[in-house]
Amino acid sequence: MTSLPALLRLPVFLVLLAFLLQPGWFEPLLKPLVQESAPAVYNRGSLFWLTLLHLRTVLIATLAATVVAVSLAILVTRQAGAEFLPLSRSLVNIGQTFPPVAVLALAVPIFGFGEKPTLIALFLYGLLPIFENALTGLTTLPPAVIEAARGAGMTERQRLLQIELPLALPVILTGIRLSVVISLATATIGSTVAAKTLGEVIIAGLQSNNLAFVLQGGLIVAALAVLIHDALQALERSLAGRAHV
């Protein structure tokens, strides 16, 4: 994903916030996209609350995927768990094998309509990038640092918590960033199974042939993805800089 120039990030954030809190201010810009009698601004709910619910769904799914993926990466990089690497790779690839729409179709009969099927789809879809990056981060650590930690008498648990994970964190965060950006876009399909996401705005626009609604939903998701991508990327650089100090 292309990053925004630093000078544009704050203006984009402020415009996005203004649109979510006061969408009526932007009605003149959207009016040419709709027929005379059609509303130019989404009027079937609060864009602000839909955005918060969208972000909450992505956050919950990403946190769950991070815990599972990083735990698996730690397991298979230990001597006792190395034999489980092929199995772990097969497990985290499930989300990439089944499209999110297929996961939703399978989950709805079990969990019903709403947020749960969407969380499951996003969780499965987000596992792979986090796992692979965590695996890379934990297996490419400087051998001299690990040997020095052993020589200092640190236990395996101490090495993991105090040396390995802090050094691997920037690479792990890259996987989390990729997972978040994917989930932000993918979460929109959750509205097809009655989850409260920004997909509701896009679907409403498609159903009523209202281009302004479709544009609003799409642009909000795109702006969120770019802003969060850039924020996490800046955090990665900061952590990487500290790791090399």
Side-chain angles (χ1 to χ4, degrees):
M1 172 176 283
T2 303
S3 298
L4 279 174
L7 291 175
L8 289 180
R9 290 171 194 163
L10 182 59
V12 168
F13 173 74
L14 292 176
V15 170
L16 174 63
L17 188 61
F19 182 74
L20 294 176
L21 295 174
Q22 296 293 338
W25 292 353
F26 299 83
E27 188 170 0
L29 294 174
L30 298 167
K31 201 67 178 173
L33 300 175
V34 298
Q35 300 173 359
E36 283 189 23
S37 57
V41 175
Y42 184 70
N43 59 355
R44 303 181 188 180
S46 167
L47 285 172
F48 179 74
W49 284 110
L50 278 177
T51 301
L52 290 182
L53 291 172
H54 189 103
L55 289 172
R56 185 191 71 171
T57 299
V58 170
L59 176 62
I60 293 171
T62 303
L63 285 175
T66 300
V67 170
V68 172
V70 173
S71 298
L72 281 174
I74 291 171
L75 172 66
V76 299
T77 52
R78 307 305 99 179
Q79 188 173 0
E83 61 186 286
F84 295 105
L85 177 57
L87 175 61
S88 298
R89 277 218 162 97
S90 297
L91 289 174
V92 299
N93 269 299
I94 289 176
Q96 306 295 321
T97 304
F98 292 96
V101 174
V103 176
L104 288 177
L106 293 171
V108 166
I110 302 171
F111 298 99
F113 288 90
E115 189 179 32
K116 288 181 181 178
T118 307
L119 287 171
I120 293 169
L122 296 183
F123 165 76
L124 292 175
Y125 214 55
L127 284 172
L128 182 61
I130 302 175
F131 174 78
E132 289 296 343
N133 277 66
L135 191 62
T136 300
L138 290 169
T139 55
T140 57
L141 298 172
V145 175
I146 304 302
E147 286 303 318
R150 285 198 185 99
M154 297 179 73
T155 65
E156 187 172 349
R157 179 185 178 88
Q158 288 173 327
R159 290 198 305 271
L160 173 66
L161 296 177
Q162 297 177 32
I163 304 295
E164 295 180 47
L165 283 177
L167 289 176
L169 189 55
V171 182
I172 295 172
L173 195 56
T174 299
I176 294 172
R177 170 167 55 86
L178 294 173
S179 180
V180 168
V181 171
I182 291 169
S183 293
L184 280 167
T186 308
T188 56
I189 67 171
S191 292
T192 60
V193 293
K196 285 290 183 180
T197 74
L198 288 164
E200 187 175 305
V201 183
I202 297 172
I203 291 171
L206 292 173
Q207 289 176 337
S208 60
N209 197 28
N210 188 319
L211 181 59
F213 284 7
V214 176
L215 189 64
Q216 285 163 61
L219 285 179
I220 293 172
V221 172
L224 288 172
V226 171
L227 290 171
I228 293 173
H229 171 276
D230 285 1
L232 290 175
Q233 193 171 60
L235 181 58
E236 288 168 40
R237 289 171 182 160
S238 174
L239 291 172
R242 291 180 186 178
H244 288 92
V245 172

